[in-house]
Amino acid sequence: MAETDLTIRELRRRFADKSLSPLEYWLSLEDHVAAWEPSISALYLYDPEAARVQAKASTERWAKGRTLGTLDGIPATLKELIATEGQPVPLGTRAVELKPAEADAPAAARLREDGAVIFAKTTCPDYGMLSSGLSSFHPLSRNPWNIAQNPGGSSAGAAAAAAAGYGPLHIGTDIGGSVRLPAGWTGIFGFKPSHGRIPADPYYVGRCLGPMTRTVEDAAFSMATLSRPDWRDGTSLPPNDFDWMDFVVDISGMKIGLMLDAGCGFAVDDEIRVAVESAAKRFEKAGATIVSVQPVLTRAMLDGLDTFWRARLWSDIAGLNEERRDSILPYIRDWAKAGADISGVDAVRGFNQTIEMRRSCGRLFTRVDALLSPTNPIISYPAEWASPTNDPTRPFEHIAFTVPWNMSEQPAASINCGFSRSGMPIGLQIVGPRFDDMRVLRLSKAFEDWTGGVSVWPQRPIV
């Protein structure tokens, strides 16, 4: 194992026994980032000098036995949408006027409190409204497994950085699948906890933050830090006393749903279906009862959400002058323009479909203890595409497996469950009951232990 592949547990052990310092680790990671970044363009505001200063301070704390928290000295990135004091938040688009943020958003504040080394932000598409590495502001972000392919999004840079080994911890955001979708396409672990578990600012219907890591344990390590409540999120959950590192689970007797039809959107690729069915058999072998379940999503629900989101984004950009509005990625601008013709009544009707999603998901979880499904219905798509359809009139055909769990506020994760014949990763989605974040982490860790996780990481592309 390369030094840059060390997990948070391994790094903490070596920091403690002084066989490796946070500064020494960072310097190795700095070289690793330099080798990869020209090919995948995952980072924004990358500041190695500031990282050296933070790592040196952490090294001194470890030497004195006065660390700030669990993540002291651990390098981390934050998705560009997550504000960091004094730095702009361009929202992935050239249309936004660049102004320094007045304060750290909750996730950034929690990482700093615990001494993490925040060395960069990660890229996202315009307004975080694409599952793509394409942006009018950032360079094109690419998938480390094949740089001709898309990493997905909107946490595009976070997924690419995690897959390429830019340290153990990257924080993304997810309103319809934006942590899990790119996690599936890049072979990493992406965890969307229960809504409000990690405070968000600004918060919004379905919007969550979540860790994107190479291992389940690394994601769990971050949760005690990230889940501390923050008054700025009106949906922030009360303090929890979870032991985030307790992965003991008795799968015997659990009833686990298997959903292979999302109800609308893309049909599931045959290779993905086979990989997910194989994963379900692992749980069955461990004693679970696997039951085939019907979709929770309908075309009316997905189209209603599309209507609501178009109206919402148009309300944000309608006041921009023509020059700024024209600088938005054309795909997003053209999609949002339809919002100008949506009446208030139709926007509310669209929003009401989020409630229908919630009801449908709740009904299913009266019959199952957990759910397995594909994360993504398709294997991959070109890096230059704005979405898996590349068609703004059909923008959300790829999110049908992921978006319901945002609206139902349930925890869900994506974990690698195999590879396609073309060598691209395949993601398995694991969903749990609302507030039972540990069930998702425990089932994910069990699956990781059975399969050995991702046994091979992307090789450095030729620059």
Side-chain angles (χ1 to χ4, degrees), residues 217-250:
E217 189 182 74
D218 279 349
F221 253 114
S222 74
M223 287 301 297
T225 297
L226 295 170
S227 65
R228 293 199 290 267
D230 193 292
W231 68 268
R232 291 173 288 178
D233 185 343
T235 66
S236 180
L237 296 177
N240 63 78
D241 58 359
F242 300 163
D243 179 355
W244 290 100
M245 305 309 292
D246 178 6
F247 297 114
V248 176
V249 60
D250 183 5

CSV table of all heavy atoms in Angstrom, one decimal, residues 217-250:
chain,number,residue,atom,x,y,z
A,217,GLU,N,-15.2,2.9,6.7
A,217,GLU,CA,-14.7,3.3,8.0
A,217,GLU,C,-14.3,4.8,7.9
A,217,GLU,O,-14.5,5.5,8.9
A,217,GLU,CB,-13.5,2.4,8.5
A,217,GLU,CG,-13.2,2.8,9.9
A,217,GLU,CD,-12.0,1.9,10.4
A,217,GLU,OE1,-10.8,2.2,10.0
A,217,GLU,OE2,-12.2,1.0,11.2
A,218,ASP,N,-13.6,5.2,6.9
A,218,ASP,CA,-13.2,6.6,6.7
A,218,ASP,C,-14.4,7.5,6.8
A,218,ASP,O,-14.4,8.6,7.4
A,218,ASP,CB,-12.4,6.8,5.5
A,218,ASP,CG,-10.9,6.4,5.6
A,218,ASP,OD1,-10.5,6.1,6.7
A,218,ASP,OD2,-10.3,6.3,4.6
A,219,ALA,N,-15.5,7.1,6.1
A,219,ALA,CA,-16.7,8.0,6.2
A,219,ALA,C,-17.3,8.0,7.6
A,219,ALA,O,-17.6,9.1,8.1
A,219,ALA,CB,-17.8,7.4,5.2
A,220,ALA,N,-17.3,6.9,8.3
A,220,ALA,CA,-17.8,6.8,9.7
A,220,ALA,C,-16.9,7.7,10.6
A,220,ALA,O,-17.4,8.3,11.5
A,220,ALA,CB,-17.8,5.4,10.1
A,221,PHE,N,-15.6,7.7,10.4
A,221,PHE,CA,-14.7,8.5,11.2
A,221,PHE,C,-15.1,9.9,11.2
A,221,PHE,O,-15.0,10.7,12.1
A,221,PHE,CB,-13.3,8.3,10.7
A,221,PHE,CG,-12.4,7.5,11.6
A,221,PHE,CD1,-11.9,6.3,11.2
A,221,PHE,CD2,-12.1,8.0,12.9
A,221,PHE,CE1,-11.1,5.5,12.1
A,221,PHE,CE2,-11.2,7.2,13.7
A,221,PHE,CZ,-10.7,6.0,13.3
A,222,SER,N,-15.6,10.4,10.0
A,222,SER,CA,-15.9,11.8,9.8
A,222,SER,C,-17.2,12.2,10.5
A,222,SER,O,-17.4,13.4,10.7
A,222,SER,CB,-15.9,12.2,8.4
A,222,SER,OG,-17.1,11.7,7.7
A,223,MET,N,-18.1,11.3,10.7
A,223,MET,CA,-19.4,11.6,11.1
A,223,MET,C,-19.6,12.2,12.5
A,223,MET,O,-20.4,13.1,12.7
A,223,MET,CB,-20.3,10.4,11.0
A,223,MET,CG,-20.7,10.0,9.5
A,223,MET,SD,-21.5,11.3,8.6
A,223,MET,CE,-23.0,11.5,9.5
A,224,ALA,N,-18.8,11.8,13.4
A,224,ALA,CA,-18.9,12.4,14.8
A,224,ALA,C,-18.5,13.9,14.7
A,224,ALA,O,-19.1,14.7,15.4
A,224,ALA,CB,-17.9,11.7,15.7
A,225,THR,N,-17.6,14.3,13.8
A,225,THR,CA,-17.3,15.7,13.6
A,225,THR,C,-18.3,16.4,12.9
A,225,THR,O,-18.8,17.4,13.3
A,225,THR,CB,-15.9,15.8,12.9
A,225,THR,OG1,-14.9,15.2,13.6
A,225,THR,CG2,-15.6,17.2,12.6
A,226,LEU,N,-18.7,15.9,11.7
A,226,LEU,CA,-19.6,16.6,10.8
A,226,LEU,C,-21.0,16.7,11.4
A,226,LEU,O,-21.8,17.6,11.0
A,226,LEU,CB,-19.6,15.9,9.5
A,226,LEU,CG,-18.3,15.9,8.7
A,226,LEU,CD1,-18.4,15.0,7.5
A,226,LEU,CD2,-18.0,17.3,8.2
A,227,SER,N,-21.4,15.8,12.2
A,227,SER,CA,-22.8,15.7,12.6
A,227,SER,C,-23.1,16.6,13.9
A,227,SER,O,-24.3,16.5,14.4
A,227,SER,CB,-23.3,14.2,12.9
A,227,SER,OG,-22.5,13.7,14.0
A,228,ARG,N,-22.2,17.3,14.4
A,228,ARG,CA,-22.5,18.2,15.5
A,228,ARG,C,-23.5,19.3,15.0
A,228,ARG,O,-23.3,19.9,13.9
A,228,ARG,CB,-21.2,18.9,16.0
A,228,ARG,CG,-20.3,17.9,16.7
A,228,ARG,CD,-19.3,18.5,17.6
A,228,ARG,NE,-18.3,19.3,16.9
A,228,ARG,CZ,-17.1,18.8,16.5
A,228,ARG,NH1,-16.7,17.6,16.8
A,228,ARG,NH2,-16.2,19.6,15.9
A,229,PRO,N,-24.6,19.5,15.8
A,229,PRO,CA,-25.6,20.4,15.3
A,229,PRO,C,-25.1,21.9,15.1
A,229,PRO,O,-24.1,22.3,15.6
A,229,PRO,CB,-26.6,20.4,16.4
A,229,PRO,CG,-26.4,19.1,17.2
A,229,PRO,CD,-24.9,18.9,17.0
A,230,ASP,N,-25.9,22.6,14.3
A,230,ASP,CA,-25.5,24.0,14.0
A,230,ASP,C,-26.8,24.8,13.8
A,230,ASP,O,-27.7,24.4,13.0
A,230,ASP,CB,-24.7,24.1,12.7
A,230,ASP,CG,-24.1,25.5,12.5
A,230,ASP,OD1,-24.8,26.4,12.3
A,230,ASP,OD2,-22.8,25.6,12.6
A,231,TRP,N,-27.0,25.9,14.5
A,231,TRP,CA,-28.2,26.6,14.5
A,231,TRP,C,-28.6,27.2,13.1
A,231,TRP,O,-29.8,27.4,12.9
A,231,TRP,CB,-28.2,27.8,15.5
A,231,TRP,CG,-27.2,28.9,15.1
A,231,TRP,CD1,-25.9,29.0,15.4
A,231,TRP,CD2,-27.5,30.0,14.2
A,231,TRP,NE1,-25.3,30.1,14.8
A,231,TRP,CE2,-26.3,30.7,14.1
A,231,TRP,CE3,-28.6,30.4,13.5
A,231,TRP,CZ2,-26.2,31.9,13.3
A,231,TRP,CZ3,-28.5,31.6,12.8
A,231,TRP,CH2,-27.3,32.3,12.7
A,232,ARG,N,-27.6,27.3,12.2
A,232,ARG,CA,-27.9,27.9,10.9
A,232,ARG,C,-28.7,26.9,10.0
A,232,ARG,O,-29.3,27.4,9.0
A,232,ARG,CB,-26.6,28.2,10.2
A,232,ARG,CG,-25.9,29.4,10.9
A,232,ARG,CD,-24.5,29.6,10.2
A,232,ARG,NE,-23.5,28.5,10.6
A,232,ARG,CZ,-22.3,28.5,10.2
A,232,ARG,NH1,-21.8,29.3,9.3
A,232,ARG,NH2,-21.5,27.5,10.6
A,233,ASP,N,-28.8,25.7,10.4
A,233,ASP,CA,-29.7,24.7,9.7
A,233,ASP,C,-30.9,24.5,10.5
A,233,ASP,O,-30.8,23.8,11.5
A,233,ASP,CB,-28.9,23.4,9.4
A,233,ASP,CG,-29.7,22.4,8.6
A,233,ASP,OD1,-30.9,22.6,8.4
A,233,ASP,OD2,-29.0,21.5,8.0
A,234,GLY,N,-32.0,25.0,10.0
A,234,GLY,CA,-33.3,24.8,10.8
A,234,GLY,C,-33.8,23.4,10.8
A,234,GLY,O,-34.7,23.1,11.6
A,235,THR,N,-33.1,22.5,10.0
A,235,THR,CA,-33.5,21.1,10.1
A,235,THR,C,-32.4,20.2,10.8
A,235,THR,O,-32.5,19.0,10.8
A,235,THR,CB,-33.7,20.5,8.6
A,235,THR,OG1,-32.5,20.5,7.9
A,235,THR,CG2,-34.7,21.3,7.9
A,236,SER,N,-31.4,20.9,11.3
A,236,SER,CA,-30.3,20.2,12.0
A,236,SER,C,-30.9,19.3,13.1
A,236,SER,O,-31.7,19.7,14.0
A,236,SER,CB,-29.4,21.2,12.6
A,236,SER,OG,-28.3,20.6,13.3
A,237,LEU,N,-30.4,18.0,13.2
A,237,LEU,CA,-30.9,17.1,14.1
A,237,LEU,C,-30.2,17.3,15.5
A,237,LEU,O,-29.2,17.9,15.6
A,237,LEU,CB,-30.7,15.7,13.7
A,237,LEU,CG,-31.5,15.3,12.4
A,237,LEU,CD1,-31.1,13.8,12.0
A,237,LEU,CD2,-33.0,15.4,12.6
A,238,PRO,N,-30.9,16.9,16.6
A,238,PRO,CA,-30.3,17.0,17.9
A,238,PRO,C,-29.0,16.3,18.0
A,238,PRO,O,-28.7,15.4,17.2
A,238,PRO,CB,-31.3,16.4,18.9
A,238,PRO,CG,-32.6,16.4,18.1
A,238,PRO,CD,-32.2,16.2,16.6
A,239,PRO,N,-28.1,16.6,19.0
A,239,PRO,CA,-26.9,15.9,19.2
A,239,PRO,C,-27.1,14.4,19.3
A,239,PRO,O,-28.2,13.9,19.9
A,239,PRO,CB,-26.3,16.4,20.5
A,239,PRO,CG,-27.0,17.8,20.7
A,239,PRO,CD,-28.3,17.6,20.0
A,240,ASN,N,-26.3,13.6,18.7
A,240,ASN,CA,-26.4,12.1,18.8
A,240,ASN,C,-25.3,11.5,19.6
A,240,ASN,O,-24.3,12.1,19.8
A,240,ASN,CB,-26.4,11.5,17.4
A,240,ASN,CG,-25.1,11.7,16.7
A,240,ASN,OD1,-24.1,11.0,17.0
A,240,ASN,ND2,-25.0,12.7,15.8
A,241,ASP,N,-25.6,10.3,20.2
A,241,ASP,CA,-24.6,9.6,21.0
A,241,ASP,C,-24.2,8.3,20.3
A,241,ASP,O,-23.8,7.3,20.9
A,241,ASP,CB,-25.1,9.3,22.4
A,241,ASP,CG,-26.4,8.5,22.4
A,241,ASP,OD1,-26.9,8.2,21.3
A,241,ASP,OD2,-26.9,8.2,23.5
A,242,PHE,N,-24.3,8.3,18.9
A,242,PHE,CA,-23.9,7.1,18.2
A,242,PHE,C,-22.4,6.8,18.4
A,242,PHE,O,-21.6,7.7,18.5
A,242,PHE,CB,-24.1,7.3,16.7
A,242,PHE,CG,-25.5,7.6,16.2
A,242,PHE,CD1,-25.7,8.2,15.0
A,242,PHE,CD2,-26.6,7.4,17.0
A,242,PHE,CE1,-27.0,8.5,14.5
A,242,PHE,CE2,-27.8,7.7,16.6
A,242,PHE,CZ,-28.1,8.2,15.3
A,243,ASP,N,-22.1,5.5,18.4
A,243,ASP,CA,-20.7,5.1,18.3
A,243,ASP,C,-20.5,4.8,16.8
A,243,ASP,O,-20.9,3.8,16.3
A,243,ASP,CB,-20.5,3.8,19.1
A,243,ASP,CG,-19.0,3.3,18.9
A,243,ASP,OD1,-18.3,3.9,18.1
A,243,ASP,OD2,-18.7,2.3,19.6
A,244,TRP,N,-20.0,5.8,16.1
A,244,TRP,CA,-20.0,5.7,14.7
A,244,TRP,C,-19.0,4.6,14.2
A,244,TRP,O,-19.0,4.3,13.0
A,244,TRP,CB,-19.5,7.1,14.1
A,244,TRP,CG,-20.6,8.2,14.2
A,244,TRP,CD1,-20.6,9.1,15.2
A,244,TRP,CD2,-21.7,8.3,13.4
A,244,TRP,NE1,-21.8,9.9,15.0
A,244,TRP,CE2,-22.4,9.5,13.9
A,244,TRP,CE3,-22.2,7.7,12.2
A,244,TRP,CZ2,-23.6,9.9,13.3
A,244,TRP,CZ3,-23.4,8.2,11.7
A,244,TRP,CH2,-24.1,9.3,12.2
A,245,MET,N,-18.2,4.1,15.1
A,245,MET,CA,-17.3,3.1,14.7
A,245,MET,C,-17.8,1.7,15.1
A,245,MET,O,-17.0,0.7,15.0
A,245,MET,CB,-15.9,3.3,15.3
A,245,MET,CG,-15.3,4.7,15.0
A,245,MET,SD,-15.3,5.1,13.3
A,245,MET,CE,-14.1,4.0,12.7
A,246,ASP,N,-19.0,1.6,15.6
A,246,ASP,CA,-19.6,0.3,15.9
A,246,ASP,C,-20.3,-0.3,14.7
A,246,ASP,O,-21.4,0.0,14.4
A,246,ASP,CB,-20.6,0.4,17.1
A,246,ASP,CG,-21.2,-0.9,17.5
A,246,ASP,OD1,-20.8,-1.9,16.9
A,246,ASP,OD2,-22.2,-0.8,18.3
A,247,PHE,N,-19.6,-1.3,14.1
A,247,PHE,CA,-20.1,-1.9,12.8
A,247,PHE,C,-20.7,-3.2,13.0
A,247,PHE,O,-21.0,-3.9,12.0
A,247,PHE,CB,-19.0,-2.0,11.8
A,247,PHE,CG,-18.4,-0.6,11.4
A,247,PHE,CD1,-17.1,-0.3,11.7
A,247,PHE,CD2,-19.2,0.3,10.7
A,247,PHE,CE1,-16.6,0.9,11.3
A,247,PHE,CE2,-18.7,1.5,10.3
A,247,PHE,CZ,-17.4,1.8,10.6
A,248,VAL,N,-20.9,-3.6,14.3
A,248,VAL,CA,-21.5,-5.0,14.5
A,248,VAL,C,-23.0,-5.0,14.1
A,248,VAL,O,-23.7,-4.1,14.4
A,248,VAL,CB,-21.4,-5.3,16.0
A,248,VAL,CG1,-22.1,-6.6,16.3
A,248,VAL,CG2,-20.0,-5.3,16.5
A,249,VAL,N,-23.3,-6.0,13.3
A,249,VAL,CA,-24.7,-6.0,12.8
A,249,VAL,C,-25.1,-7.5,12.6
A,249,VAL,O,-24.3,-8.3,12.2
A,249,VAL,CB,-24.8,-5.3,11.4
A,249,VAL,CG1,-23.9,-5.9,10.4
A,249,VAL,CG2,-26.2,-5.3,10.9
A,250,ASP,N,-26.3,-7.8,13.0
A,250,ASP,CA,-26.8,-9.2,12.8
A,250,ASP,C,-27.8,-9.1,11.6
A,250,ASP,O,-28.9,-8.6,11.7
A,250,ASP,CB,-27.6,-9.6,14.1
A,250,ASP,CG,-28.1,-11.1,14.0
A,250,ASP,OD1,-27.8,-11.7,12.9
A,250,ASP,OD2,-28.8,-11.5,14.9
